Amino acid sequence: MRILLTNDDGIHAEGLVALENIAKVLTDDIWICAPEYEQSGASRALTLSDPVRVRKLDARRFATSGTPTDCVMLAISELIEGAKPDLVLSGVNRGANLAEDVTLSGTVAGAIEGMAMGVASIALSQTGWPTGNDDIFAPAERFAPGIIRKLVETGWPKGVIINVNFPSRPVEQITEVEVTRQTFRDINVRHAEKRTDLRNREYYWMGFRQELSSPAAGTDLKAIYDGKISVTPLHIDLTHLETVHRLKGVLGGVPPKA
């Protein structure tokens, strides 16, 4: 199996080291293409107004000046020699990608670009944040290989990616995987903090409040809150069919008059 690795935390991220360790359990045919600098929150941004520079670090490892989407597109279409990859793994993200945040995530976007180019793709994210010498990626490294292998054996539709999130708990306390649906938080956790720089000029730092939502059973958030590994199939079709059917009765046919 030929695997392409990417991420949004950058070519030097600890999560990319973890992802490479995961991939090595599955194959020795590994290619890496990741952003030169962190691209968290880049979503599916494609660089169109600036050149994208590629730096070759070794025979199968590249860094680009672009986004995760740029990286996957360039890797599959230009950089990988021979056959295109059988699988794209994006991550392991430092922090969860759950609920409505998946639409902001560069990690998820990397997987979506792989899917768009005809390659089965999985996004992996690790809840938590590095503190001291703690290995926050231990759950992902321990459980991801088995989950990925089972997913590949089972397969999934071409227009779907798999979004996997690992809870921030000791490995021995993680005992369940749950296949979940994406949810939407009942509170707004995104905010802008106003600060002042050393020249007395104001600026803003974007971030997330550490507040818990009240998710329903069967959702990605609820699974992570309960210490389970969340596996969510996602697709890019954002159409709300219920509203489509309702509006067809009032907007179909001749355009209405003002």
Side-chain angles (χ1 to χ4, degrees):
M1 183 164 55
R2 170 167 283 194
I3 300 179
L4 169 63
L5 309 184
T6 193
N7 71 356
D8 71 354
D9 287 325
I11 191 69
H12 301 295
E14 294 178 0
L16 188 58
V17 176
L19 188 62
E20 191 169 6
N21 291 337
I22 291 165
K24 286 177 179 177
V25 179
L26 304 169
T27 185
D28 59 1
D29 191 355
I30 299 168
W31 294 74
I32 299 172
C33 188
E36 191 78 68
Y37 307 105
E38 184 168 348
Q39 295 278 351
S40 295
S43 188
R44 290 207 69 211
L46 181 67
T47 303
L48 297 174
S49 300
D50 295 297
V52 177
R53 312 253 178 216
V54 177
R55 186 164 64 96
K56 188 172 184 178
L57 303 175
D58 61 38
R60 297 188 179 187
R61 183 185 298 263
F62 303 87
T64 87
S65 61
T67 65
T69 297
D70 296 328
C71 289
V72 173
M73 187 270 288
L74 283 171
I76 294 175
S77 63
E78 296 288 337
L79 303 177
I80 293 178
E81 299 173 2
K84 72 178 182 180
D86 303 294
L87 182 67
V88 171
L89 299 179
S90 186
V92 175
N93 191 67
R94 181 186 56 203
N97 278 303
L98 301 162
E100 67 272 21
D101 295 345
V102 300
T103 61
L104 300 172
S105 168
T107 302
V108 173
I112 290 175
E113 184 65 14
M115 175 271 291
M117 299 192 73
V119 181
S121 300
I122 302 173
L124 302 110
S125 301
Q126 175 65 62
T127 308
W129 200 256
T131 55
N133 296 320
D134 294 343
D135 181 9
I136 70 159
F137 296 102
E141 289 199 45
R142 169 64 178 83
F143 297 109
I147 291 172
I148 293 168
R149 194 184 301 277
K150 179 63 70 173
L151 286 168
V152 169
E153 290 173 356
T154 304
W156 61 91
K158 290 184 178 180
V160 172
I161 69 161
I162 305 296
N163 185 36
V164 184
N165 283 269
F166 298 91
S168 180
R169 294 197 178 187
V171 168
E172 60 273 12
Q173 294 181 17
I174 302 173
T175 59
E176 291 186 53
V177 178
E178 184 175 359
V179 178
T180 60
R181 69 181 188 275
Q182 180 193 355
T183 190
F184 195 89
R185 290 181 178 85
D186 54 11
I187 56 174
N188 179 27
V189 297
R190 293 184 300 279
H191 73 112
E193 183 176 297
K194 189 175 183 179
R195 299 181 180 182
T196 304
D197 66 19
L198 295 179
R199 296 184 178 180
N200 205 36
R201 296 177 300 189
E202 294 177 346
Y203 67 98
Y204 293 88
W205 196 275
M206 308 297 183
F208 297 85
R209 296 187 182 90
Q210 299 302 310
E211 298 179 23
L212 297 182
S213 187
S214 299
T219 61
D220 51 4
L221 273 177
K222 177 64 173 171
I224 289 297
Y225 287 179
D226 291 343
K228 301 177 184 178
I229 300 169
S230 171
V231 177
T232 313
L234 300 174
H235 63 104
I236 200 169
D237 183 358
L238 302 179
T239 309
H240 190 253
L241 291 177
E242 181 181 339
T243 303
V244 167
H245 297 317
R246 181 173 60 85
L247 290 178
K248 278 186 175 182
V250 296
L251 282 178
V254 179
K257 295 180 180 180

